[in-house]
Each structure stands twice: as structure tokens, then as C-alpha cells.
Amino acid sequence: MRMLLWTTVSAFWVAAGIAAVGWFARRRSLVAVLRVALPVFTAATVLVIVGESPAGSPLPRIVHHAGFALLGVFLLMSEMLRARLRRLGRRGSCSAEAVSLCNSFRTVSLLAAPSAAIMILLSGWRLMHDSGWSLRAPWLWWVYVLFAAMMWHGAFYWTADAKRLAAEPQKGLPREVDWIMTAHGLLFLLIFAIAFNGAGRSWPHPFPEAIAALEHGLNFLPGSWRAVGAAVGVWLVIGVVTGVAFRFSRPGK
């Protein structure tokens, strides 16, 4: 009975999301609607899974791995699209194919990456709570900080570069931007390697005392939620630093 209830609720939830997107898309472009709707729908869905699944449930881990898979597919697709754009760019013309590739790159950047990042982040916080993990663990510190930096860089820089490429396909991507996007894929592989094979290794930790102090300052929270609260704080700090750097590196944009 419980399974039937959750299946019914899930079906109505998905149907309501599709209906809402269809209604708004009649007034604006589908991509513009999905750019907002997909991250909101993903966040709401993952929050329900994170908040309602019982202790020991495999659902948060399934969502976490699905987010990693989606992000990996997105980065691979991005690399393939940009490789094709580089080959077309060497011909010195802005063909219809190049314009189509630029628009495709912008679309997948705006739709796939945010949802994947939200899935990984929210389910990761739940896994930290369930497993009693803390950013005082060096391997987790590096996985988390590298992922947060990658996520915020994508939110500010990658998104802006993808939109600019679609608006001015004849200019292509600057070489340094293209390299940084490739570095995203390599960083993803490093994060993946540390996360799945790094817990038993010795890693340096630059700020163990600061993390311990932050968790101690959150002692009004119950148990392992203090570690999660500290992780949220670190994520916000990285976001603020990245946002300020973006504002001053690209004034007026």
C-alpha cells in the first residue's frame, strides 16, 4: 500500500511539473522556462527524497550517483561539442552547423549541469548526515571543496560563456575559456577518483581547526547536522568568493 501511494504521488508530481512547464512555455520559449523549472523541480524532488526517506534508505545514495552520472554525461557531451566547434572554427567561417552547435552547447549547459549539481549537493549533505562524515576528514574536504568550486564556477563563468557563445557564434570561445572547460572534465575525474578511492589515503588538510571551530559554533544543531551545517557554510563562502571574483573580472556583464 505504501509503495502504491508513493508511486501515485510521484506520477502526479511529474505530471504537474510537465503541465506547468507546458503552460509557461506557451508564453515564453521552452528553454527559458526549463532553465528555471528544471533546477526548481530537481531541488524540490531531491529535498523530498532527502527529507522523507528513512534512515538507511538507499534513495539518497542512488540520487547522488545519478547526479554524478548526469554530470559526467554533460561534461563528455560538452567536450564533444567544443571539439567540433574548434574544427569548424579553423575553417574561418560561421556556418549554420556552427550556429546550431553553439545553441546546443548553451542549451545543455543551462539545463543539464544545474540539475546534476543540485542532485549531487543535496544528496551529498544527506549522506554526510547519515554516515556521520565531517569536512574534518581530509579526503572529504578535497572532494567537497573541489566540487563546490566547480559548481560555482559553472554557475557564474561557464553559464556566461555559453550564453555569449550562442549570442556571438562567429567569435567562438576564447582559447583560455576552452581550456578551463576542459579542466572541468579533468577535475570531475579527480573528484570521482578521490571520492571512491580516497578515504583510506593520507591527504593534507589546510583548515582542520577552522572546520572544528565552525562545527563547535553550530552546537545548537543536533548530532551530525553540525557537520552538514559547516558544509553549507563552506559552500556559501566559496559561492560568495566566486561571485565577487566574477563581478570584478567581468564588470558590466
Side-chain angles (χ1 to χ4, degrees):
M1 184 65 182
R2 183 181 179 88
M3 178 62 70
L4 178 61
L5 176 62
W6 275 109
T7 303
T8 304
V9 171
S10 299
F12 275 111
W13 177 255
V14 173
I18 294 173
V21 167
W23 188 84
F24 282 107
R26 293 167 60 186
R27 290 154 178 80
R28 301 185 62 185
S29 73
L30 181 60
V31 172
V33 173
L34 287 175
R35 181 187 176 187
V36 177
L38 269 181
V40 171
F41 183 82
T42 302
T45 303
V46 176
L47 282 173
V48 170
I49 294 173
V50 166
E52 294 300 323
S53 57
S57 170
L59 284 177
R61 189 172 295 276
I62 291 172
V63 171
H64 197 64
H65 291 174
F68 262 107
L70 179 59
L71 184 58
V73 169
F74 161 72
L75 290 171
L76 179 60
M77 184 184 302
S78 165
E79 199 64 36
M80 294 172 63
L81 288 171
R82 288 184 293 106
R84 182 60 182 161
L85 282 172
R86 285 193 295 270
R87 286 195 294 269
L88 292 176
R90 285 194 289 268
R91 300 175 185 174
S93 63
C94 184
S95 64
E97 182 182 3
V99 173
S100 176
L101 287 171
C102 291
N103 289 327
S104 297
F105 179 72
R106 173 182 177 270
T107 299
V108 297
S109 296
L110 294 179
L111 300 187
S115 295
I118 289 170
M119 291 169 66
I120 294 170
L121 184 70
L122 296 181
S123 60
W125 287 340
R126 170 62 190 267
L127 291 176
M128 284 184 65
H129 172 267
D130 287 354
S131 303
W133 292 337
S134 166
L135 291 186
R136 286 177 290 174
W139 73 272
L140 184 59
W141 163 266
W142 287 110
V143 166
Y144 187 80
V145 169
L146 291 175
F147 172 76
M150 183 178 175
M151 180 178 178
W152 283 114
H153 183 275
F156 288 106
Y157 290 90
W158 187 301
T159 300
D161 289 324
K163 292 167 70 174
R164 184 180 62 180
L165 178 63
E168 302 174 332
Q170 70 281 1
K171 293 185 178 180
L173 281 172
R175 181 174 298 180
E176 63 275 12
V177 172
D178 200 12
W179 286 349
I180 291 173
M181 288 180 171
T182 296
H184 259 248
L186 298 176
L187 186 59
F188 171 78
L189 294 177
L190 176 61
I191 292 171
F192 191 86
I194 297 175
F196 286 89
N197 196 34
R201 298 178 181 271
S202 177
W203 300 91
H205 195 313
F207 307 113
E209 294 83 4
I211 296 299
L214 182 56
E215 291 180 1
H216 180 72
L218 296 172
N219 57 11
F220 58 89
L221 294 175
S224 55
W225 283 116
R226 300 169 191 172
V228 176
V232 174
V234 170
W235 178 74
L236 290 174
V237 168
I238 294 174
V240 170
V241 171
T242 307
V244 170
F246 177 78
R247 177 67 181 84
F248 283 99
S249 65
R250 302 189 182 189
K253 293 186 179 181

